[in-house]
Amino acid sequence: MRSFLTCAALACVFLSISFAQTTQPVTSSEQSPPQLDHFDASKVDKSVDPCTDFYAYACNRWVKDNPLPPEEVFWGSFGKLQLWNEALLHQTAVEVAAKPPAARTPVEQKVGDYWTACTDEKQRNAAALDTLRPDLDRIDHMSSKSEIVDIIATIHRSIYGAWNPTDTETAAALFGFGAQPDFHNANQVIPQFDQGGMGMPGRDFYLNDDAKSVEIRTKYAAHIEKMFVLSGVPAAKAHDDSQVVLRMETAMAQGSMDVVKRRDPKNLDHEMSLDDVKKLTPDFDFGRYLELVNAPSSSKFIVTSPEFFHAVQQLIASEPLDHWKAYLKSQLLTGTAPEMSADFVNANFQFYGQTLFGAKALLPLWRRCIQAEDRDIGQALGQAYVARAFPPENKQRAQEMVKNIEAALSSDIDSMDWMSLDTKKQAHIKLAAQIDKIGYPDHWRDYSALEIRSDNHLENVHRAAAFEFHRQLAKIGKPLDRREWNMTPPTVNAYEDPQTNTINFPAGILQPPFFDPTTDDSVNYGAAGTVIGHETIHGFDDQGRKFDEHGDLRDWWTAADAQAYEKRGDCIADEYTEFVAEAGVKQNGRLTQGENTADNGGIHLALSALQSDLKSKGESLDTQGEDGLTALQRFFLGYADIWCSNLRPEMMRTLLLMNPHPLDKYRVNNVVSNMPEFAKAFGCHKGQAMVRENACRVW
Ligand SMILES: [Zn+2]
């Protein structure tokens, strides 16, 4: 989403990326959900010693048996389950769309009509560019740079919440604007200006000078050129304008804060009055912008990176009006392309799908439409998913696991020999205040003010974006709603949000092989349990620990404890910093530090919760199951299983540069090699690869 609340800002367990797709017909054979994976211990690769390479031992056969489908760039448990979830949503959409209008509920009207319009390729091919034309014309008719404000306000309203190829902070046109809890009083929501403006995933893509980066930039400029040509700009001008856009975005990249620096919330904490904001970029009338987007008034604003707004000022002052027209048009076109006609969709796929991520084929139309519908009216579409796939007993069992894992963290805090009693007391207060959300919202979002029609997909997307932008801005000046969800129910992901002090597990991830009611606790704790532990630890990772129980940015650590924490964090950061030959780039242990801390800490919590659970039933981690494996072995295999995956090299490179999560192989091998419990489970000894000499441990 073009939102601040992305996996870059929230601590997710997995970064899902989707890109444009398209032109295959919707056939009936696609309506039955695929088979989900279930745990099967016999699938290990016995030719590999688990103590040498546990990922290979657990995943080799899966990797071989599950080659990447041509339309996928990542294929593993997350992707398979996502496909299964989408197939259920697809059934719902098709059924509802086929109902006579009079027989539909208001929610069904929106779900059905959105589907009908999105899948009507004939209409999209005929009318999409016409729908966009008035906005393109307004840009062409600009007579002064003072009108940049008007166009940016329009783009923010019409493609906010719309497609974002990379889920990073670079995507909003020129800059991002939204609502966010005050860093110093999280109960109060205030407006935030964030860096943005770029069409590629991050500043490194503009500034690195290795051959691959240069090649990607050339292809990006060609992509912008193609967008211009498709919109009717003459070829020579389209070429020149694409170079202008690349140059302007490069200047924005130079003014941007890098991903690692952005991980420290203290670096984003710049509170300003509107007058201060105006001084950063005097040639952009922020007062007028706020009026145009209808933002409630506020005495203070967060500006995440003031340097970026200086760069914007430079650009407005130095670039001629014609260059700004090119930039604004490119933002409008690239932000809308996946929702348009087949020529735009295909061109968009060539750059974002193939060049950046390595996909070999477009996703079928039905999946693109389900993903768009989930993004735009996800809490309407998701209601049927919950009814079909998430019975109350699953919610209750997941709730119990969360409670057991939180209890494990409570004991863990007490057992830490490097923390003082004072800091432990504060940590307990924070943990006790953490809110758990499981499955789906208590109250479904009210979409009654959003008009969805069956006759024009792009108009639906624009209205949905405006609805979402307005909904976000309406939070300004109001108390924080900690019960709100930032993911839809069918999402295969989970997140922790330090400012609401919540952990959130959508129904979409509480399915096999993560959470499987048909298998035993040891496997469920190894899979879903480690995901729950992961999110719980995020509240106490190197970012999360800087927020208190209310979600305020406040240092509750004694100086000595903070120092001890940093030292342990350095061990983790160093351990994950490694050159990945297949991708030609380095994995950055500083970028992935929070996720690594969460993985390593989360698995300890899950294991300890499992141990208590087994004890209460008179069993132990050594109890053998029918397959001859101990509960402890099944736990570790259950863990590895959720990370078995295939990945395209292009995707791998893009992830390594931008994604705060490490590659899956490291999520398994680095984690288990830090754990004496793993060595015990598989009889590994010192000197073997999965027994790390300098094992790291934070939580
Ligand atoms: Zn995470």
Side-chain angles (χ1 to χ4, degrees):
M1 289 193 14
R2 278 182 189 261
S3 148
F4 299 108
L5 297 170
T6 63
C7 285
L10 298 169
C12 309
V13 72
F14 172 71
L15 185 70
S16 50
I17 293 191
S18 64
F19 47 83
Q21 308 115 21
T22 108
T23 49
Q24 300 175 20
V26 182
T27 68
S28 57
S29 66
E30 286 159 347
Q31 295 188 19
S32 44
Q35 284 291 313
L36 281 180
D37 283 341
H38 292 269
F39 180 78
D40 179 358
S42 71
K43 282 192 178 160
V44 297
D45 181 350
K46 294 211 168 98
S47 72
V48 176
D49 181 348
C51 300
T52 306
D53 183 344
F54 188 55
Y55 181 79
Y57 174 76
C59 294
N60 267 358
R61 285 185 56 192
W62 190 98
V63 165
K64 191 168 154 282
D65 294 346
N66 293 274
L68 275 154
E71 69 279 13
E72 301 285 350
V73 295
F74 164 90
W75 195 233
S77 303
F78 285 85
K80 270 196 168 181
L81 177 53
Q82 185 182 333
L83 179 58
W84 187 82
N85 289 349
E86 285 174 11
L88 288 200
L89 298 171
H90 181 207
Q91 286 178 340
T92 300
V94 169
E95 282 165 22
V96 169
K99 276 190 179 183
R104 301 188 298 195
T105 64
V107 165
E108 287 175 334
Q109 178 274 319
K110 291 192 199 315
V111 170
D113 285 352
Y114 190 103
W115 172 257
T116 301
C118 186
T119 51
D120 184 351
E121 288 197 292
K122 209 172 142 201
Q123 187 279 333
R124 288 174 60 162
N125 287 338
L129 191 55
D130 293 343
T131 305
L132 207 58
R133 185 59 68 196
D135 287 333
L136 291 167
D137 286 348
R138 275 182 69 207
I139 296 173
D140 279 334
H141 295 145
M142 283 169 74
S143 58
S144 140
K145 284 192 267 182
S146 65
E147 291 167 52
I148 294 169
V149 175
D150 303 70
I151 305 296
I152 288 296
T154 301
I155 296 178
H156 283 181
R157 276 200 310 264
S158 62
I159 53 181
Y160 180 96
W163 181 73
N164 166 353
T166 54
D167 207 25
T168 69
E169 68 279 4
T170 61
L174 194 56
F175 59 83
F177 180 64
Q180 180 196 305
D182 187 338
F183 277 123
H184 305 284
N185 174 18
N187 273 327
Q188 196 66 22
V189 179
I190 61 174
Q192 184 212 52
F193 286 109
D194 195 14
Q195 67 188 37
M198 294 168 260
M200 286 196 284
R203 71 195 290 280
D204 289 358
F205 284 78
Y206 293 86
L207 307 180
N208 287 359
D209 50 14
D210 58 286
K212 187 76 193 168
S213 299
V214 173
E215 181 200 326
I216 290 175
R217 279 198 289 278
T218 306
K219 289 184 173 170
Y220 177 60
H223 167 65
I224 300 293
E225 182 178 337
K226 184 87 189 275
M227 289 281 119
F228 286 143
V229 169
L230 289 175
S231 76
V233 175
K237 182 164 170 52
H239 177 76
D240 292 349
D241 282 356
S242 71
Q243 301 303 311
V244 166
V245 171
L246 179 60
R247 195 163 46 74
M248 288 175 70
E249 290 187 8
T250 303
M252 291 177 204
Q254 275 156 350
S256 296
M257 194 184 291
D258 73 52
V259 273
V260 173
K261 209 169 164 209
R262 277 174 71 85
R263 289 198 63 254
D264 186 344
K266 289 178 187 159
N267 292 334
L268 307 177
D269 177 23
H270 308 281
E271 223 167 75
M272 294 187 186
S273 67
L274 182 56
D275 280 344
D276 292 338
V277 176
K278 287 175 176 171
K279 279 178 207 148
L280 293 171
T281 317
D283 286 346
F284 186 91
D285 187 345
F286 279 105
R288 183 165 161 70
Y289 171 81
L290 294 171
E291 262 171 46
L292 288 168
V293 298
N294 242 330
S297 65
S298 178
S299 59
K300 49 185 173 181
F301 293 76
I302 298 168
V303 177
T304 56
S305 38
E307 279 308 306
F308 176 79
F309 288 89
H310 286 302
V312 170
Q313 169 58 28
Q314 287 290 315
L315 276 171
I316 298 179
S318 62
E319 296 287 345
L321 178 61
D322 261 4
H323 291 182
W324 276 98
K325 288 182 181 180
Y327 171 75
L328 294 168
K329 232 186 235 190
S330 133
Q331 285 289 313
L332 187 63
L333 290 165
T334 53
T336 318
E339 313 298 342
M340 293 177 64
S341 42
D343 45 1
F344 278 94
V345 169
N346 291 328
N348 181 77
F349 169 77
Q350 271 173 20
F351 179 71
Y352 290 104
Q354 289 182 309
T355 302
L356 280 186
F357 300 133
K360 303 287 180 221
L362 300 165
L363 277 182
L365 176 64
W366 75 267
R367 292 195 63 188
R368 173 164 61 114
C369 286
I370 286 301
Q371 289 176 8
E373 185 155 359
D374 176 57
R375 175 199 67 211
D376 285 344
I377 49 169
Q379 286 200 21
L381 181 64
Q383 293 180 24
Y385 174 83
V386 169
R388 282 175 179 215
F390 197 59
E393 56 271 27
N394 287 21
K395 180 166 176 160
Q396 199 193 329
R397 181 66 190 124
Q399 184 75 64
E400 283 164 18
M401 288 177 78
V402 172
K403 289 292 164 216
N404 294 345
I405 282 164
E406 286 172 341
L409 178 54
S410 183
S411 315
D412 195 43
I413 291 167
D414 286 332
S415 73
M416 289 298 160
D417 57 8
W418 52 273
M419 261 171 114
S420 67
L421 280 175
D422 282 351
T423 307
K424 284 181 179 179
K425 195 176 151 207
Q426 292 294 321
H428 279 299
I429 291 172
K430 175 164 180 174
L431 176 60
Q434 193 172 57
I435 298 170
D436 321 319
K437 288 186 274 172
I438 316 278
Y440 51 92
D442 302 336
H443 304 285
W444 295 107
R445 186 165 300 159
D446 177 6
Y447 291 103
S448 51
L450 169 62
E451 186 190 10
I452 296 292
R453 298 162 52 122
S454 60
D455 60 354
N456 187 321
H457 173 61
L458 188 53
E459 284 181 2
N460 282 342
V461 171
H462 282 168
R463 280 192 298 264
F467 173 85
E468 175 62 11
F469 192 41
H470 175 76
R471 195 183 72 78
Q472 292 292 340
L473 299 191
K475 296 175 189 172
I476 293 169
K478 300 219 177 91
L480 176 62
D481 176 8
R482 293 176 196 264
R483 304 299 310 176
E484 190 191 347
W485 279 77
N486 297 316
M487 282 180 184
T488 62
T491 306
V492 188
N493 209 335
Y495 69 95
E496 181 266 349
D497 177 0
Q499 290 186 288
T500 51
N501 194 15
T502 58
I503 49 175
N504 307 263
F505 306 95
I509 197 171
L510 296 169
Q511 309 289 347
F514 295 87
F515 175 78
D516 189 348
T518 67
T519 191
D520 62 310
D521 282 342
S522 51
V523 171
N524 277 324
Y525 272 100
T530 56
V531 170
I532 296 167
H534 174 105
E535 300 306 340
T536 309
I537 290 292
H538 267 316
F540 300 86
D541 72 14
D542 62 314
Q543 280 180 316
R545 76 173 192 86
K546 292 173 180 157
F547 294 88
D548 69 9
E549 72 274 21
H550 306 296
D552 296 344
L553 190 54
R554 180 176 68 83
D555 190 0
W556 45 270
W557 293 68
T558 66
D561 291 345
Q563 212 180 6
Y565 186 102
E566 295 299 334
K567 206 173 146 213
R568 285 163 183 270
D570 289 346
C571 178
I572 294 266
D574 292 344
E575 186 183 304
Y576 284 78
T577 300
E578 195 169 326
F579 186 74
V580 181
E582 296 148 274
V585 288
K586 220 177 187 183
Q587 179 160 270
N588 183 342
R590 287 285 164 203
L591 174 59
T592 57
Q593 188 177 344
E595 297 303 332
N596 303 333
T597 304
D599 278 349
N600 281 276
I603 195 170
H604 276 287
L605 301 187
L607 183 54
S608 145
L610 169 63
Q611 205 167 4
S612 310
D613 221 34
L614 291 172
K615 204 171 160 192
S616 70
K617 290 185 230 158
E619 296 173 20
S620 80
L621 292 171
D622 299 325
T623 304
Q624 274 192 353
E626 282 168 19
D627 52 15
L629 294 171
T630 64
L632 187 59
Q633 288 171 327
R634 288 172 65 83
F635 171 84
F636 281 113
L637 284 168
Y639 175 67
D641 251 23
I642 61 171
W643 299 113
C644 297
S645 64
N646 280 301
L647 194 61
R648 296 201 190 277
E650 294 88 343
M651 172 76 166
M652 195 184 279
R653 183 182 184 278
T654 301
L655 290 183
L656 284 166
L657 290 174
M658 294 310 302
N659 184 356
H661 302 88
L663 297 178
D664 293 344
K665 187 176 86 177
Y666 301 86
R667 296 191 84 155
V668 174
N669 284 352
N670 286 32
V671 165
V672 301
S673 65
N674 283 324
M675 296 179 77
E677 296 89 341
F678 174 79
K680 180 174 174 275
F682 289 92
C684 310
H685 52 79
K686 217 174 140 190
Q688 290 186 292
M690 295 296 104
V691 182
R692 199 170 285 271
E693 210 180 314
N694 300 311
C696 302
R697 173 103 195 245
V698 180
W699 296 104

